[in-house]
Amino acid sequence: ETGVTQTPRHLVMGMTNKKSLKCEQHLGHNAMYWYKQSAKKPLELMFVYNFKEQTENNSVPSRFSPECPNSSHLFLHLHTLQPEDSALYLCASSPHFVGGNEQFFGPGTRLTVL
Amino acid sequence: TQLLEQSPQFLSIQEGENLTVYCNSSSVFSSLQWYRQEPGEGPVLLVTVVTGGEVKKLKRLTFQFGDARKDSSLHITAAQTGDTGLYLCAGATSLDSNYQLIWGAGTKLIIKP
């Protein structure tokens, strides 16, 4: 138990569906992250929120839409996804948005787009 | 583009053997982290190395940061089945005042009983 929870753990959706991934951290951290993990590839940083403000958007397609209502919760809204978006989506948090900080990860949501 | 190359990509050995995995880059990092990810879980931090030449030990795991802070190695002595997992290295750097973690693609390690 890392203090970061993610729901759902598994999600299968069609290309026309709309769904949301949820992340919650119970660690009192100020920074939260969304990553995409595909087999044999480095973790891809998608979005960073620091004190609820988005600080990074690494050229992520607009079919992925993040939301951070407070420093404990992070959402990733999905719509009109493509099969190549199938991957493990990891949420992480850290005390501050500093590169050397340890990041605490949730267990991930395994997403399959049909 | 900053890259971290991890080798080997995959390693399967018998319990009790020793192994070393590597993390290499042409870039200099202010620190480097090693994580282990087990199936169905997110990565969990094992260690952070900060100083060039630094060696840290975590039971049977020995981590070394290169003198030039461009590379790192993880050595496991007398591997156990519980060491099975995906080992990820991540280098911390600052680029244009934005702190970043640069991730390797990982070494998938399987320890057979």
Side-chain angles (χ1 to χ4, degrees):
Chain A
E1 179 61 49
T2 63
V4 181
T5 58
Q6 289 186 246
T7 54
R9 295 293 305 273
H10 299 273
L11 179 61
V12 179
M13 57 188 290
M15 289 192 284
T16 58
N17 292 157
K18 288 185 180 181
K19 296 286 184 184
S20 295
L21 310 185
K22 180 182 176 182
C23 175
E24 183 174 359
Q25 58 98 357
H26 311 273
L27 301 168
H29 290 168
N30 296 310
M32 295 188 77
Y33 312 79
W34 278 117
Y35 284 94
K36 176 183 180 182
Q37 186 175 33
S38 304
K40 300 182 182 179
K41 290 186 177 181
L43 289 182
E44 297 176 45
L45 179 64
M46 300 174 71
F47 302 104
V48 180
Y49 279 82
N50 195 34
F51 291 98
K52 301 188 301 178
E53 299 297 321
Q54 185 175 313
T55 59
E56 295 281 329
N57 177 344
N58 287 349
S59 304
V60 179
S62 60
R63 56 186 184 268
F64 295 91
S65 174
E67 179 189 359
C68 188
N70 55 62
S71 57
S72 297
H73 293 86
L74 188 62
F75 295 89
L76 187 62
H77 303 298
L78 315 171
H79 65 97
T80 324
L81 293 192
Q82 304 298 310
E84 60 264 28
D85 297 322
S86 298
L88 182 68
Y89 288 84
L90 292 165
C91 173
S93 70
S94 66
H96 305 284
F97 179 45
V98 175
N101 265 193
E102 174 183 0
Q103 294 191 6
F104 293 76
F105 287 84
T109 295
R110 173 67 62 186
L111 174 67
T112 303
V113 181
L114 301 176
Chain B
T1 304
Q2 295 176 298
L3 291 173
L4 263 178
E5 306 270 356
Q6 287 194 245
S7 61
Q9 286 189 355
F10 177 78
L11 185 59
S12 179
I13 62 172
Q14 293 294 137
E15 195 170 28
E17 294 184 16
N18 302 332
L19 66 110
T20 303
V21 298
Y22 300 93
C23 179
N24 295 298
S25 177
S26 57
S27 302
V28 176
F29 297 105
S30 55
S31 64
L32 193 135
Q33 302 172 353
W34 283 93
Y35 290 78
R36 179 169 66 210
Q37 183 177 17
E38 299 184 16
E41 302 295 333
V44 175
L45 182 72
L46 296 173
V47 78
T48 301
V49 286
V50 179
T51 307
E54 182 177 5
V55 177
K56 280 193 174 178
K57 292 192 174 184
L58 188 66
K59 296 184 181 178
R60 294 172 296 97
L61 278 60
T62 302
F63 304 85
Q64 184 160 10
F65 202 12
D67 291 341
R69 290 185 286 126
K70 294 182 179 181
D71 53 82
S72 182
S73 63
L74 158 60
H75 181 79
I76 301 179
T77 303
Q80 300 178 357
T81 55
D83 297 325
T84 292
L86 179 68
Y87 288 80
L88 299 165
C89 64
T93 184
S94 60
L95 186 67
D96 298 329
S97 301
N98 290 319
Y99 290 100
Q100 295 188 37
L101 266 186
I102 308 299
W103 292 86
T107 293
K108 185 172 183 179
L109 176 63
I110 295 177
I111 309 299
K112 296 178 287 188

Coordinates of all heavy atoms in Angstrom, one line a residue, chain A residues 23-25 29-30 32 49 51-53 67-75:
Chain A
C23 N -7.7 9.0 -9.4 CA -6.6 8.8 -8.6 C -6.8 9.6 -7.3 O -7.2 10.7 -7.3 CB -5.3 9.2 -9.3 SG -3.8 9.1 -8.3
E24 N -6.4 9.0 -6.2 CA -6.5 9.7 -4.9 C -5.2 9.4 -4.1 O -4.8 8.2 -4.0 CB -7.7 9.2 -4.1 CG -7.9 10.0 -2.8 CD -9.2 9.7 -2.1 OE1 -10.0 8.8 -2.6 OE2 -9.4 10.2 -1.0
Q25 N -4.6 10.4 -3.5 CA -3.4 10.2 -2.7 C -3.7 10.7 -1.3 O -4.3 11.7 -1.1 CB -2.2 10.8 -3.3 CG -2.2 12.3 -3.5 CD -1.6 13.2 -2.5 OE1 -1.1 12.7 -1.4 NE2 -1.6 14.5 -2.7
H29 N 0.8 15.1 -0.4 CA 1.7 15.6 -1.3 C 1.1 16.7 -2.1 O -0.1 16.9 -2.2 CB 2.1 14.5 -2.3 CG 3.0 13.4 -1.7 ND1 3.3 12.2 -2.3 CD2 3.7 13.4 -0.5 CE1 4.1 11.5 -1.5 NE2 4.3 12.3 -0.4
N30 N 2.0 17.5 -2.7 CA 1.5 18.7 -3.5 C 1.6 18.5 -5.0 O 1.0 19.3 -5.8 CB 2.4 19.9 -3.2 CG 2.3 20.3 -1.7 OD1 1.1 20.5 -1.2 ND2 3.4 20.5 -1.0
M32 N 1.1 15.8 -8.4 CA 0.5 14.6 -8.9 C 0.8 14.5 -10.4 O 0.8 15.5 -11.1 CB -1.0 14.6 -8.6 CG -1.3 14.5 -7.1 SD -3.1 14.3 -6.7 CE -3.2 12.5 -7.0
Y49 N 0.5 18.1 -12.2 CA -0.1 19.1 -11.4 C 0.7 19.4 -10.2 O 1.1 18.5 -9.5 CB -1.6 18.7 -11.0 CG -2.6 18.9 -12.1 CD1 -2.7 17.9 -13.1 CD2 -3.4 20.0 -12.2 CE1 -3.6 18.1 -14.2 CE2 -4.3 20.2 -13.2 CZ -4.4 19.2 -14.2 OH -5.3 19.4 -15.2
F51 N 0.4 21.8 -6.8 CA -0.6 22.7 -6.1 C -1.8 22.9 -6.9 O -2.3 24.1 -7.0 CB 0.1 24.0 -5.6 CG 1.1 23.9 -4.6 CD1 2.5 23.9 -5.0 CD2 0.8 23.8 -3.3 CE1 3.5 23.7 -4.0 CE2 1.8 23.7 -2.3 CZ 3.1 23.6 -2.7
K52 N -2.4 21.9 -7.5 CA -3.6 21.9 -8.3 C -3.5 22.6 -9.6 O -4.4 22.6 -10.4 CB -4.8 22.6 -7.5 CG -5.1 21.9 -6.2 CD -6.4 22.5 -5.7 CE -6.3 24.0 -5.5 NZ -7.6 24.6 -5.0
E53 N -2.3 23.2 -9.9 CA -2.1 23.9 -11.2 C -1.4 23.0 -12.2 O -0.3 22.4 -11.8 CB -1.4 25.2 -11.0 CG -2.1 26.2 -10.1 CD -3.4 26.6 -10.7 OE1 -3.5 26.8 -11.9 OE2 -4.4 26.8 -9.9
E67 N -8.0 16.5 -14.9 CA -8.7 17.4 -14.0 C -8.1 17.2 -12.6 O -8.0 16.0 -12.2 CB -10.2 17.1 -14.0 CG -11.0 18.0 -13.0 CD -12.4 17.6 -12.9 OE1 -12.9 16.6 -13.5 OE2 -13.2 18.2 -12.1
C68 N -7.9 18.3 -11.9 CA -7.3 18.2 -10.5 C -8.1 19.1 -9.6 O -7.7 20.3 -9.5 CB -5.8 18.5 -10.5 SG -5.0 18.2 -9.0
P69 N -9.2 18.6 -9.0 CA -10.0 19.5 -8.2 C -9.4 20.0 -6.9 O -9.7 21.0 -6.4 CB -11.3 18.7 -8.0 CG -10.8 17.2 -8.1 CD -9.7 17.3 -9.1
N70 N -8.5 19.2 -6.4 CA -7.7 19.5 -5.2 C -6.5 18.7 -5.2 O -6.3 17.8 -6.0 CB -8.6 19.3 -3.9 CG -9.1 17.8 -3.8 OD1 -8.3 16.9 -3.8 ND2 -10.4 17.7 -3.9
S71 N -5.6 19.0 -4.2 CA -4.2 18.4 -4.3 C -4.3 16.9 -4.0 O -3.2 16.2 -4.1 CB -3.3 19.1 -3.4 OG -3.8 19.1 -2.1
S72 N -5.4 16.3 -3.6 CA -5.5 14.9 -3.2 C -6.1 14.0 -4.4 O -6.0 12.8 -4.3 CB -6.3 14.7 -2.0 OG -5.7 15.3 -0.9
H73 N -6.8 14.7 -5.3 CA -7.5 13.9 -6.3 C -7.1 14.4 -7.7 O -6.9 15.6 -8.0 CB -9.0 14.2 -6.2 CG -9.6 13.6 -4.9 ND1 -9.6 14.3 -3.7 CD2 -10.2 12.4 -4.7 CE1 -10.2 13.5 -2.8 NE2 -10.5 12.4 -3.3
L74 N -7.0 13.4 -8.6 CA -6.6 13.6 -10.0 C -7.5 12.7 -10.8 O -7.7 11.5 -10.5 CB -5.2 13.3 -10.2 CG -4.5 13.7 -11.5 CD1 -4.5 15.2 -11.7 CD2 -3.1 13.2 -11.5
F75 N -8.0 13.3 -11.9 CA -8.8 12.5 -12.9 C -8.2 12.6 -14.2 O -7.5 13.5 -14.6 CB -10.3 13.1 -12.9 CG -11.0 12.9 -11.7 CD1 -11.0 13.9 -10.7 CD2 -11.8 11.8 -11.4 CE1 -11.7 13.8 -9.5 CE2 -12.5 11.7 -10.2 CZ -12.5 12.7 -9.3

